[in-house]
Amino acid sequence: MINRRKFIQHSTISSLAVLINKNLFASKISNFKNKPIVISTWDAGLEANKAAWQILSKNGRALDAVEKGVMVTEASKNCCIGLGANPDRDGFVTLDACIMDENFNCGSVAFLERIKHPISVARRVMEKTPHVMLVGNGAQQFALNEGFVLEEQKLSKDAQQSYNDWLKKAEYKPGVINIENKQQQAPAKLDNGDWNHDTIGMIAMDANGNLSGSCTTSGMGFKMRGRIGDSPIIGAGLYVDNEFGACVGTGQGEDVIRVAGAHAVVEMMRQGFSAELSCKKIIERIVKIKGDKVKDIQVAFIALDKNGNSGSFAIHSGFNFAIKNNTEEKLIVSKSWV
Ligand code: SD4
């Protein structure tokens, strides 16, 4: 038989448990008020977000959204990301991509040639192999085995023109990625002929509150053959921790890699900083490392925290990112260090 004292103890504990549960439940609800949501780098992100939204708005998975979203950009003839993009200095387009889901599953391909959708190959690496990263011929062979088709490399008119211009001097001078034409927010062609915006990074949170991210690029124009930037490197170009947030980077890959950029930003969110402040702190770290040389490089991060709040920060002005959720669809001009 249960005595009075035990009964009171028991019911107090039960009410406490109910209260705690209620609070947990309440915080879960308010945490996810902004879902679903998708953000992606640069103005090309507006189109890419639309494709991602078709999945997110039907309660689809964030992972599917970030794959389908960036595929739009990979396939675009007007953009300098896919097979028509700037080649390496030997004239070959080489592509890098990675993807990460809400359970720390991740896949990546690098130095991949003549495959239209590197992001989908990266996803197959994640889902069908025990590995995280495949590169070069091995990645291409894997893609072919998976049913992907070997495409002809066909440089866009702009890429061909830029490459022809570059060949006149063939001066190897990396370090000009994404420094914007300050007068324009639109993609700008630099004086030396390089094109900006050869990358798209995307982060989505689905209706279940799960985060995923993707990143795909043709990398630095006229790069040394075999050069790989941050974009296919988990922790540098992309990182997702479903408990705290996700981040994707763009810009001078070498400088993102040296601070393990995307992972560093997510660690800041883990410590409780906002998405924007987390991006800013890691940009400041890069600025400090680079000293005077910072004028020659651009790096930008976008981040999404577990509450669906987005933020970004860049070294130079001119960076923007696209956002879409239930209430807004727009480009946001990023804050920057200069
Ligand atoms: C790279 N991070 O290959 C890429 C380039 C980039 O917009 O982001 N361009 O280093």
Side-chain angles (χ1 to χ4, degrees):
M1 227 175 69
I2 194 163
N3 64 30
R4 190 166 180 272
R5 188 184 230 171
K6 273 206 174 130
F7 175 78
I8 289 171
Q9 261 177 5
H10 183 78
S11 49
T12 313
I13 289 168
S14 305
S15 339
L16 259 177
V18 168
L19 259 179
I20 288 167
N21 270 341
K22 261 194 175 167
N23 281 342
L24 278 180
F25 189 60
S27 74
K28 264 191 182 157
I29 299 267
S30 64
N31 271 351
F32 296 155
K33 66 183 187 302
N34 291 339
K35 67 180 179 167
I37 181 171
V38 55
I39 61 172
S40 55
T41 55
W42 307 111
D43 34 11
L46 285 172
E47 280 310 302
N49 284 357
K50 283 189 204 306
W53 190 253
Q54 285 186 1
I55 292 164
L56 294 172
S57 59
K58 290 179 194 132
N59 281 343
R61 201 175 159 202
L63 181 69
D64 295 325
V66 297
E67 180 191 4
K68 293 288 180 302
V70 302
M71 281 172 76
V72 170
T73 328
E74 285 180 339
S76 164
K77 297 241 171 351
N78 305 323
C79 201
C80 30
I81 285 174
L83 287 167
N86 277 335
D88 64 17
R89 65 182 185 178
D90 295 355
F92 300 101
V93 175
T94 69
L95 304 171
D96 305 332
C98 73
I99 194 160
M100 188 161 185
D101 77 4
E102 73 275 16
N103 293 317
F104 298 97
N105 296 312
C106 40
S108 155
V109 287
F111 193 44
L112 177 64
E113 292 174 284
R114 298 178 56 190
I115 300 287
K116 189 170 178 185
H117 288 300
I119 196 65
S120 302
V121 187
R123 182 165 175 179
R124 298 285 175 96
V125 172
M126 170 174 106
E127 290 178 340
K128 296 209 167 173
T129 79
H131 308 299
V132 166
M133 191 166 193
L134 292 178
V135 305
N137 289 342
Q140 192 187 65
Q141 197 50 56
F142 170 72
L144 298 181
N145 292 346
E146 285 294 311
F148 291 82
V149 178
L150 208 55
E151 309 272 348
E152 282 312 313
Q153 169 178 306
K154 199 167 182 325
L155 299 191
S156 70
K157 234 175 93 205
D158 289 325
Q160 187 64 60
Q161 184 60 52
S162 301
Y163 185 53
N164 293 347
D165 291 347
W166 182 82
L167 279 175
K168 286 178 197 154
K169 279 198 192 157
E171 195 183 350
Y172 193 61
K173 211 173 68 177
V176 288
I177 292 179
N178 287 338
I179 303 240
E180 299 301 301
N181 175 337
K182 298 258 159 81
Q183 270 74 51
Q184 286 175 277
Q185 294 300 328
K189 201 172 179 183
L190 298 165
D191 291 338
N192 67 359
D194 286 1
W195 278 86
N196 289 318
H197 305 193
D198 37 45
T199 302
I200 182 163
M202 179 178 276
I203 303 166
M205 183 160 69
D206 60 31
N208 292 320
N210 285 324
L211 287 163
S212 290
S214 62
C215 189
T216 181
T217 188
S218 56
M220 178 191 280
F222 325 130
K223 61 196 169 190
M224 196 178 277
R225 186 142 177 81
R227 179 265 184 192
I228 291 166
D230 59 314
S231 304
I233 297 181
I234 297 294
L238 171 70
Y239 199 71
V240 179
D241 183 329
N242 205 38
E243 221 183 314
F244 297 98
C247 171
V248 69
T250 185
Q252 189 70 31
E254 285 73 5
D255 293 307
V256 179
I257 293 172
R258 53 181 118 251
V259 295
H263 181 260
V265 171
V266 172
E267 285 304 297
M268 290 294 150
M269 290 194 277
R270 180 194 295 277
Q271 286 175 34
F273 294 105
S274 71
E276 181 183 298
L277 194 51
S278 299
C279 294
K280 184 173 183 225
K281 281 181 170 290
I282 305 309
I283 289 292
E284 283 171 350
R285 197 176 287 175
I286 296 172
V287 167
K288 192 168 166 211
I289 291 168
K290 295 302 286 187
D292 285 350
K293 293 198 186 112
V294 83
K295 65 181 183 335
D296 301 328
I297 61 147
Q298 171 68 308
V299 171
F301 295 112
I302 63 172
L304 188 64
D305 73 16
K306 190 60 185 173
N307 298 328
N309 300 309
S310 62
S312 75
F313 210 82
I315 297 178
H316 294 274
S317 63
F319 173 65
N320 52 28
F321 70 101
I323 181 168
K324 181 153 177 58
N325 59 18
N326 278 314
T327 53
E328 52 184 2
E329 177 172 16
K330 62 179 183 188
L331 265 184
I332 295 178
V333 175
S334 178
K335 291 189 189 154
S336 61
W337 187 75
V338 235

